[in-house]
């Protein structure tokens, strides 16, 4: 008899309880993700206080910040800004090589 079978037979842990715990764990992970995204959204929102020159120094434009703030709660706005900065960097590099 395997260890898992012995635990189930002893009544310490029933398989249906494990399924419930897995669902609770998934729910907790989802809540944690939404919470992190909300915190990140507040941090990205502070970027709207910067002027266009300061935003250009970090490689983004104001439209990128506004677009990042319009993503859903399940999406990380910081990831949107990272992608936008990468696009701007590749465009700047492409123009310099021409």
């Amino acid at each position: 008899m395997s260890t898992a079978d012995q635990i189930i037979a002893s009544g310490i842990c029933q398989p249906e309880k494990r399924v419930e715990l897995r669902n609770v764990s998934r729910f907790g992970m989802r809540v944690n993700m939404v919470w992190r995204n909300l915190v990140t959204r507040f941090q990205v929102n502070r970027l709207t206080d910067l002027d266009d020159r300061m935003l250009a120094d970090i490689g983004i434009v104001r439209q990128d910040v506004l677009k990042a703030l319009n993503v859903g709660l399940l999406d990380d706005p910081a990831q949107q800004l990272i992608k936008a900065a990468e696009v701007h960097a590749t465009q700047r590099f492409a123009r310099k090589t021409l």
Side-chain angles (χ1 to χ4, degrees), residues 1 3 14 18 31 37 39 53 58 80-81 83-84 98:
M1 185 179 252
T3 305
Q14 289 83 21
R18 285 188 289 177
V31 169
N37 289 345
V39 170
R53 181 185 50 81
I58 58 176
Q80 299 291 323
L81 288 178
K83 290 177 187 174
L98 295 177

Side-chain angles (χ1 to χ4, degrees), residues 23-38:
N23 290 338
V24 169
S25 176
R26 285 183 187 154
F27 177 73
M29 288 174 26
R30 183 64 58 113
V31 169
N32 186 25
M33 181 180 61
V34 169
W35 176 255
R36 281 183 296 147
N37 289 345
L38 282 173

